[in-house]
Protein backbone atom coordinates (compact mmCIF):
# COMPACT_ATOMS: atom_id res chain seq x y z
CA UNK A 1 0.00 0.00 0.00
CA UNK A 2 2.90 2.36 0.66
CA UNK A 3 4.01 1.97 -2.97
CA UNK A 4 0.47 2.65 -4.21
CA UNK A 5 -0.11 5.75 -2.08
CA UNK A 6 1.39 8.24 -4.61
CA UNK A 7 -0.77 6.73 -7.37
CA UNK A 8 -3.92 6.99 -5.26
CA UNK A 9 -3.11 10.61 -4.39
CA UNK A 10 -2.63 11.52 -8.06
CA UNK A 11 -5.89 9.80 -9.02
CA UNK A 12 -7.78 11.52 -6.19
CA UNK A 13 -6.52 14.94 -7.30
CA UNK A 14 -7.50 14.36 -10.92
CA UNK A 15 -10.88 12.91 -9.85
CA UNK A 16 -11.83 16.26 -8.31
CA UNK A 17 -11.46 18.18 -11.60
CA UNK A 18 -15.11 17.69 -12.73
CA UNK A 19 -16.21 18.91 -9.30
CA UNK A 20 -14.24 22.12 -9.85
CA UNK A 21 -15.13 22.82 -13.48
CA UNK A 22 -17.79 21.59 -15.88
CA UNK A 23 -16.01 23.07 -18.91
CA UNK A 24 -16.31 20.64 -21.82
CA UNK A 25 -13.07 22.07 -23.23
CA UNK A 26 -11.10 21.15 -20.09
CA UNK A 27 -12.74 17.77 -19.62
CA UNK A 28 -12.35 16.78 -23.27
CA UNK A 29 -8.69 17.79 -23.20
CA UNK A 30 -8.04 15.63 -20.13
CA UNK A 31 -10.10 12.73 -21.47
CA UNK A 32 -7.97 12.61 -24.61
CA UNK A 33 -4.77 13.01 -22.57
CA UNK A 34 -5.80 10.11 -20.32
CA UNK A 35 -6.68 8.03 -23.37
CA UNK A 36 -3.18 8.57 -24.75
CA UNK A 37 -1.74 7.82 -21.30
CA UNK A 38 -3.61 4.50 -21.19
CA UNK A 39 -2.44 3.45 -24.64
CA UNK A 40 1.05 4.77 -23.86
CA UNK A 41 1.16 2.68 -20.69
CA UNK A 42 0.38 -0.37 -22.80
CA UNK A 43 3.29 0.46 -25.10
CA UNK A 44 5.51 1.30 -22.12
CA UNK A 45 5.05 -2.13 -20.56
CA UNK A 46 6.23 -3.85 -23.73
CA UNK A 47 8.73 -1.29 -25.02
CA UNK A 48 9.91 0.46 -21.87
CA UNK A 49 10.17 -2.49 -19.52
CA UNK A 50 10.52 -5.30 -22.05
CA UNK A 51 12.65 -3.55 -24.67
CA UNK A 52 10.37 -4.73 -27.50
CA UNK A 53 9.65 -1.60 -29.52
CA UNK A 54 6.39 -1.76 -31.42
CA UNK A 55 5.28 0.49 -34.27
CA UNK A 56 1.90 -1.18 -34.62
CA UNK A 57 -0.08 -0.79 -31.40
CA UNK A 58 -2.90 0.45 -33.62
CA UNK A 59 -3.58 -3.25 -34.29
CA UNK A 60 -4.76 -3.69 -30.69
CA UNK A 61 -6.45 -0.30 -30.39
CA UNK A 62 -8.47 -0.86 -33.56
CA UNK A 63 -9.41 -4.42 -32.69
CA UNK A 64 -10.83 -3.32 -29.35
CA UNK A 65 -12.70 -0.40 -30.94
CA UNK A 66 -14.19 -2.44 -33.77
CA UNK A 67 -15.07 -5.41 -31.54
CA UNK A 68 -17.12 -3.33 -29.11
CA UNK A 69 -18.75 -1.28 -31.88
CA UNK A 70 -19.70 -4.27 -34.05
CA UNK A 71 -21.06 -6.26 -31.10
CA UNK A 72 -23.36 -3.37 -30.23
CA UNK A 73 -24.53 -2.33 -33.67
CA UNK A 74 -24.86 -5.73 -35.36
CA UNK A 75 -25.57 -8.16 -32.52
CA UNK A 76 -27.26 -5.97 -29.92
CA UNK A 77 -24.81 -6.86 -27.15
CA UNK A 78 -24.72 -4.54 -24.14
CA UNK A 79 -22.04 -1.85 -24.42
CA UNK A 80 -20.40 -2.73 -21.09
CA UNK A 81 -20.17 -6.41 -22.01
CA UNK A 82 -18.95 -5.42 -25.47
CA UNK A 83 -16.25 -3.31 -23.82
CA UNK A 84 -14.95 -6.34 -21.93
CA UNK A 85 -15.07 -8.55 -25.01
CA UNK A 86 -13.22 -5.88 -26.98
CA UNK A 87 -10.39 -5.89 -24.42
CA UNK A 88 -10.16 -9.68 -24.63
CA UNK A 89 -10.18 -9.52 -28.46
CA UNK A 90 -7.31 -7.04 -28.45
CA UNK A 91 -5.36 -9.20 -26.01
CA UNK A 92 -5.86 -12.25 -28.24
CA UNK A 93 -4.58 -10.35 -31.29
CA UNK A 94 -1.55 -9.32 -29.25
CA UNK A 95 -0.98 -12.93 -28.19
CA UNK A 96 -1.18 -14.16 -31.78
CA UNK A 97 1.18 -11.48 -33.14
CA UNK A 98 3.55 -12.05 -30.22
CA UNK A 99 3.56 -15.82 -30.68
CA UNK A 100 4.31 -15.51 -34.40
CA UNK A 101 7.02 -12.89 -33.84
CA UNK A 102 8.81 -14.15 -30.73
CA UNK A 103 8.75 -17.82 -31.69
CA UNK A 104 10.36 -16.80 -34.97
CA UNK A 105 13.12 -15.04 -33.05
CA UNK A 106 12.28 -11.55 -34.28
CA UNK A 107 13.92 -8.72 -32.33
CA UNK A 108 14.63 -5.02 -32.63
CA UNK A 109 13.75 -3.36 -35.92
CA UNK A 110 12.44 -6.64 -37.37
CA UNK A 111 9.86 -6.93 -34.60
CA UNK A 112 8.93 -3.24 -34.95
CA UNK A 113 8.36 -3.62 -38.69
CA UNK A 114 6.29 -6.78 -38.24
CA UNK A 115 3.95 -5.04 -35.79
CA UNK A 116 3.62 -2.14 -38.22
CA UNK A 117 2.81 -4.59 -41.02
CA UNK A 118 0.10 -6.31 -38.98
CA UNK A 119 -1.54 -2.97 -38.18
CA UNK A 120 -1.51 -2.00 -41.85
CA UNK A 121 -2.95 -5.34 -42.93
CA UNK A 122 -5.79 -4.98 -40.42
CA UNK A 123 -6.41 -1.42 -41.63
CA UNK A 124 -6.76 -2.59 -45.23
CA UNK A 125 -9.08 -5.44 -44.23
CA UNK A 126 -11.25 -3.11 -42.13
CA UNK A 127 -11.49 -0.64 -45.02
CA UNK A 128 -13.12 -3.23 -47.33
CA UNK A 129 -14.84 -5.75 -45.02
CA UNK A 130 -18.67 -5.41 -44.91
CA UNK A 131 -18.82 -6.24 -41.18
CA UNK A 132 -16.79 -3.13 -40.33
CA UNK A 133 -18.80 -0.86 -42.61
CA UNK A 134 -15.92 -0.84 -45.12
CA UNK A 135 -15.02 2.71 -46.09
CA UNK A 136 -18.11 4.19 -44.42
CA UNK A 137 -17.17 3.01 -40.93
CA UNK A 138 -19.34 1.96 -37.99
CA UNK A 139 -21.65 4.40 -36.22
CA UNK A 140 -22.98 3.52 -32.77
CA UNK A 141 -26.58 4.57 -32.20
CA UNK A 142 -27.08 7.49 -29.82
CA UNK A 143 -28.69 6.22 -26.62
CA UNK A 144 -28.05 8.52 -23.66
CA UNK A 145 -28.38 5.96 -20.89
CA UNK A 146 -25.68 4.76 -18.47
CA UNK A 147 -26.49 1.12 -19.28
CA UNK A 148 -25.64 1.93 -22.90
CA UNK A 149 -22.29 3.46 -21.84
CA UNK A 150 -23.57 6.91 -22.82
CA UNK A 151 -24.03 9.89 -20.52
CA UNK A 152 -25.53 13.37 -20.56
CA UNK A 153 -22.20 15.02 -19.63
CA UNK A 154 -18.51 14.33 -20.11
CA UNK A 155 -17.83 13.90 -16.37
CA UNK A 156 -18.73 10.16 -16.23
CA UNK A 157 -16.52 9.50 -19.28
CA UNK A 158 -13.77 11.43 -17.51
CA UNK A 159 -14.00 9.28 -14.38
CA UNK A 160 -14.15 6.06 -16.40
CA UNK A 161 -10.99 6.79 -18.41
CA UNK A 162 -9.28 8.03 -15.23
CA UNK A 163 -10.18 4.72 -13.55
CA UNK A 164 -8.70 2.82 -16.51
CA UNK A 165 -5.51 4.88 -16.25
CA UNK A 166 -5.45 4.15 -12.52
CA UNK A 167 -5.71 0.41 -13.17
CA UNK A 168 -2.85 0.63 -15.66
CA UNK A 169 -0.67 2.56 -13.18
CA UNK A 170 -1.32 0.08 -10.38
CA UNK A 171 -0.78 -2.87 -12.71
CA UNK A 172 2.56 -1.58 -13.99
CA UNK A 173 3.64 -0.63 -10.45
CA UNK A 174 2.84 -4.18 -9.30
CA UNK A 175 4.68 -5.70 -12.27
CA UNK A 176 7.67 -3.47 -11.56
CA UNK A 177 8.01 -5.01 -8.08
CA UNK A 178 7.16 -8.58 -9.11
CA UNK A 179 9.31 -11.48 -10.26
CA UNK A 180 7.74 -11.19 -13.68
CA UNK A 181 8.91 -7.57 -13.84
CA UNK A 182 12.44 -8.62 -12.93
CA UNK A 183 12.37 -11.23 -15.68
CA UNK A 184 11.05 -8.66 -18.15
CA UNK A 185 13.84 -6.19 -17.37
CA UNK A 186 16.42 -8.98 -17.54
CA UNK A 187 15.20 -9.86 -21.02
CA UNK A 188 15.38 -6.20 -22.02
CA UNK A 189 18.94 -5.77 -20.79
CA UNK A 190 20.35 -8.99 -22.23
CA UNK A 191 18.05 -11.65 -23.59
CA UNK A 192 20.79 -14.23 -24.13
CA UNK A 193 22.06 -13.82 -20.57
CA UNK A 194 18.48 -14.10 -19.26
CA UNK A 195 18.04 -17.36 -21.14
CA UNK A 196 21.32 -18.65 -19.70
CA UNK A 197 19.91 -18.01 -16.21
CA UNK A 198 16.89 -20.18 -17.00
CA UNK A 199 14.36 -17.47 -17.87
CA UNK A 200 11.88 -18.41 -20.59
CA UNK A 201 12.34 -15.22 -22.60
CA UNK A 202 9.68 -16.10 -25.17
CA UNK A 203 7.03 -16.70 -22.51
CA UNK A 204 7.94 -13.48 -20.68
CA UNK A 205 7.77 -11.37 -23.85
CA UNK A 206 4.53 -13.05 -24.90
CA UNK A 207 2.91 -12.30 -21.53
CA UNK A 208 4.04 -8.67 -21.74
CA UNK A 209 2.70 -8.43 -25.30
CA UNK A 210 -0.68 -9.79 -24.25
CA UNK A 211 -1.05 -7.43 -21.28
CA UNK A 212 0.18 -4.51 -23.39
CA UNK A 213 -2.39 -5.32 -26.09
CA UNK A 214 -5.19 -5.57 -23.50
CA UNK A 215 -4.43 -2.08 -22.13
CA UNK A 216 -4.27 -0.64 -25.63
CA UNK A 217 -7.50 -2.37 -26.65
CA UNK A 218 -9.20 -0.85 -23.60
CA UNK A 219 -8.25 2.54 -25.02
CA UNK A 220 -9.80 1.58 -28.35
CA UNK A 221 -13.02 0.41 -26.68
CA UNK A 222 -13.28 3.68 -24.79
CA UNK A 223 -12.64 5.71 -27.95
CA UNK A 224 -15.51 3.97 -29.74
CA UNK A 225 -17.90 4.62 -26.84
CA UNK A 226 -16.80 8.22 -26.43
CA UNK A 227 -17.07 9.29 -30.08
CA UNK A 228 -19.69 6.69 -31.17
CA UNK A 229 -17.92 6.27 -34.50
CA UNK A 230 -15.00 4.30 -35.81
CA UNK A 231 -13.50 3.68 -39.25
CA UNK A 232 -10.38 2.01 -40.59
CA UNK A 233 -8.30 5.19 -40.62
CA UNK A 234 -9.12 5.99 -37.02
CA UNK A 235 -8.97 2.46 -35.65
CA UNK A 236 -5.82 1.20 -37.36
CA UNK A 237 -4.25 4.47 -38.49
CA UNK A 238 -0.64 5.35 -37.61
CA UNK A 239 -1.73 8.26 -35.39
CA UNK A 240 -2.45 6.08 -32.36
CA UNK A 241 0.76 4.05 -32.75
CA UNK A 242 2.74 7.31 -32.81
CA UNK A 243 0.90 8.73 -29.79
CA UNK A 244 1.40 5.44 -27.93
CA UNK A 245 5.19 5.58 -28.19
CA UNK A 246 5.54 9.38 -27.93
CA UNK A 247 3.88 9.61 -24.51
CA UNK A 248 6.29 7.28 -22.65
CA UNK A 249 9.34 8.52 -24.57
CA UNK A 250 8.56 12.16 -23.72
CA UNK A 251 7.40 11.38 -20.20
CA UNK A 252 9.99 8.78 -19.28
CA UNK A 253 10.31 5.37 -20.85
CA UNK A 254 10.32 2.44 -18.46
CA UNK A 255 8.76 4.42 -15.59
CA UNK A 256 5.33 4.10 -13.99
CA UNK A 257 4.32 7.75 -14.40
CA UNK A 258 6.12 8.41 -17.68
CA UNK A 259 3.15 7.75 -20.01
CA UNK A 260 0.81 9.94 -17.94
CA UNK A 261 3.29 12.82 -17.70
CA UNK A 262 4.17 12.44 -21.37
CA UNK A 263 0.54 12.34 -22.51
CA UNK A 264 -0.26 15.56 -20.66
CA UNK A 265 2.89 17.19 -22.05
CA UNK A 266 2.19 16.03 -25.61
CA UNK A 267 -1.40 17.29 -25.53
CA UNK A 268 -0.37 20.63 -24.01
CA UNK A 269 2.40 21.01 -26.56
CA UNK A 270 0.01 20.18 -29.38
CA UNK A 271 -2.51 22.81 -28.28
CA UNK A 272 0.20 25.41 -27.68
CA UNK A 273 1.72 24.92 -31.13
CA UNK A 274 -1.70 25.34 -32.76
CA UNK A 275 -2.17 28.63 -30.93
CA UNK A 276 1.38 29.80 -31.68
CA UNK A 277 1.19 28.91 -35.36
CA UNK A 278 -2.09 30.70 -35.96
CA UNK A 279 -3.49 30.13 -39.43
CA UNK A 280 -0.16 29.18 -41.05
CA UNK A 281 -0.72 25.68 -42.47
CA UNK A 282 1.77 23.10 -41.23
CA UNK A 283 3.71 25.51 -39.02
CA UNK A 284 2.27 23.98 -35.85
CA UNK A 285 3.63 20.59 -36.92
CA UNK A 286 7.08 22.10 -37.53
CA UNK A 287 7.14 23.65 -34.05
CA UNK A 288 5.76 20.47 -32.51
CA UNK A 289 8.38 18.30 -34.22
CA UNK A 290 11.23 20.66 -33.30
CA UNK A 291 10.32 20.66 -29.61
CA UNK A 292 9.99 16.87 -29.58
CA UNK A 293 13.42 16.48 -31.18
CA UNK A 294 14.90 18.82 -28.57
CA UNK A 295 13.34 16.80 -25.73
CA UNK A 296 14.62 13.51 -27.10
CA UNK A 297 18.09 14.99 -27.73
CA UNK A 298 18.60 16.75 -24.41
CA UNK A 299 16.41 14.70 -22.08
CA UNK A 300 16.68 11.09 -23.33
CA UNK A 301 15.18 9.79 -20.07
CA UNK A 302 12.14 12.00 -20.52
CA UNK A 303 10.49 14.47 -18.19
CA UNK A 304 10.31 11.93 -15.37
CA UNK A 305 14.05 11.35 -15.71
CA UNK A 306 14.77 15.08 -15.48
CA UNK A 307 12.73 15.43 -12.29
CA UNK A 308 14.35 12.27 -10.94
CA UNK A 309 17.82 13.73 -11.49
CA UNK A 310 16.82 16.99 -9.80
CA UNK A 311 15.38 15.10 -6.83
CA UNK A 312 18.51 12.95 -6.59
CA UNK A 313 20.75 16.03 -6.61
CA UNK A 314 18.65 17.76 -3.94
CA UNK A 315 18.83 14.69 -1.73
CA UNK A 316 22.59 14.55 -2.30
CA UNK A 317 22.96 18.23 -1.37
CA UNK A 318 20.92 17.77 1.81
CA UNK A 319 22.93 14.68 2.71
CA UNK A 320 26.22 16.51 2.23
CA UNK A 321 24.98 19.43 4.35
CA UNK A 322 23.93 17.03 7.10
CA UNK A 323 27.37 15.41 7.07
CA UNK A 324 29.06 18.80 7.32
CA UNK A 325 26.90 19.75 10.27
CA UNK A 326 27.67 16.42 11.91
CA UNK A 327 31.41 16.97 11.43
CA UNK A 328 31.08 20.47 12.82
Amino acid sequence: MKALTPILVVLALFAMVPLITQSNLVLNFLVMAFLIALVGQGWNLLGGYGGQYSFGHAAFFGTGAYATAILQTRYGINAWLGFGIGVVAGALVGAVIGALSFRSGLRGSYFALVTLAFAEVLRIIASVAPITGAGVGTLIKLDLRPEAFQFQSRAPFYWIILALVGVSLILVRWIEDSRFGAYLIAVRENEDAAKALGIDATAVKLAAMTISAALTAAGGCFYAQYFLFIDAGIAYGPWISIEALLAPIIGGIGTVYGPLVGALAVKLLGEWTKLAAGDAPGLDLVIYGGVLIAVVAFAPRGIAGVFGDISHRLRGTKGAAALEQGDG
Side-chain angles (χ1 to χ4, degrees):
M1 287 303 299
K2 184 178 180 181
L4 297 181
T5 299
I7 295 176
L8 297 177
V9 170
V10 169
L11 294 177
L13 291 174
F14 275 119
M16 291 189 293
V17 171
L19 305 178
I20 298 172
T21 177
Q22 293 294 320
S23 170
N24 285 335
L25 181 64
V26 173
L27 294 182
N28 187 65
F29 171 85
L30 289 173
V31 164
M32 291 306 298
F34 290 152
L35 175 62
I36 294 172
L38 177 62
V39 176
Q41 194 68 271
W43 188 94
N44 187 46
L45 178 62
L46 181 65
Y49 288 94
Q52 311 302 313
Y53 289 4
S54 164
F55 289 166
H57 261 53
F60 319 132
F61 181 90
T63 298
Y66 265 123
T68 187
I70 291 171
L71 289 172
Q72 285 180 248
T73 57
R74 294 186 176 270
Y75 301 102
I77 292 178
N78 178 268
W80 295 92
L81 178 58
F83 191 105
I85 295 174
V87 173
V88 173
L92 288 175
V93 170
V96 170
I97 295 175
L100 294 174
S101 302
F102 298 139
R103 295 189 186 282
S104 299
L106 297 179
R107 303 184 191 178
S109 58
Y110 296 102
F111 172 73
L113 291 174
V114 163
T115 58
L116 178 62
F118 271 107
E120 185 63 14
V121 167
L122 290 172
R123 185 191 67 78
I124 294 172
I125 292 174
S127 67
V128 297
I131 194 171
T132 62
V136 178
T138 300
L139 180 67
I140 299 175
K141 182 181 177 181
L142 184 65
D143 183 5
L144 295 176
R145 297 179 300 152
E147 53 267 34
F149 209 116
Q150 296 181 31
F151 308 96
Q152 297 287 345
S153 70
R154 283 183 169 83
F157 284 111
Y158 175 91
W159 283 316
I160 290 170
I161 190 62
L162 179 61
L164 291 172
V165 171
V167 170
S168 72
L169 289 170
I170 293 171
L171 176 63
V172 172
R173 187 71 181 87
W174 174 78
I175 289 175
E176 192 175 61
D177 292 336
S178 68
R179 180 175 295 182
F180 171 69
Y183 290 166
L184 192 59
I185 293 173
V187 171
R188 179 192 69 190
E189 296 301 320
N190 192 321
E191 185 171 335
D192 294 329
K195 289 180 178 178
L197 292 173
I199 297 174
D200 188 342
T202 300
V204 170
K205 291 190 292 184
L206 185 58
M209 183 84 161
T210 304
I211 299 171
S212 173
L215 291 175
T216 307
C221 294
F222 180 85
Y223 185 98
Q225 299 299 337
Y226 189 64
F227 289 101
L228 301 179
F229 176 76
I230 198 77
D231 65 14
I234 295 172
Y236 295 114
W239 72 277
I240 191 62
S241 295
I242 294 171
E243 298 277 13
L245 61 89
L246 272 182
I249 289 175
I250 298 299
I253 191 170
T255 63
V256 175
Y257 299 99
L260 177 57
V261 173
L264 292 170
V266 166
K267 289 299 294 180
L268 282 170
L269 179 60
E271 294 301 320
W272 179 80
T273 53
K274 289 179 183 178
L275 291 174
D279 296 330
L283 182 57
D284 59 326
L285 297 178
V286 173
I287 298 173
Y288 186 44
V291 173
L292 290 178
I293 291 172
V295 170
V296 173
F298 299 105
R301 294 175 55 206
I303 297 172
V306 171
F307 282 109
D309 291 340
I310 294 173
S311 176
H312 180 74
R313 289 174 184 174
L314 289 175
R315 286 198 299 268
T317 302
K318 290 179 181 179
L323 287 174
E324 289 178 3
Q325 290 178 0
D327 292 339

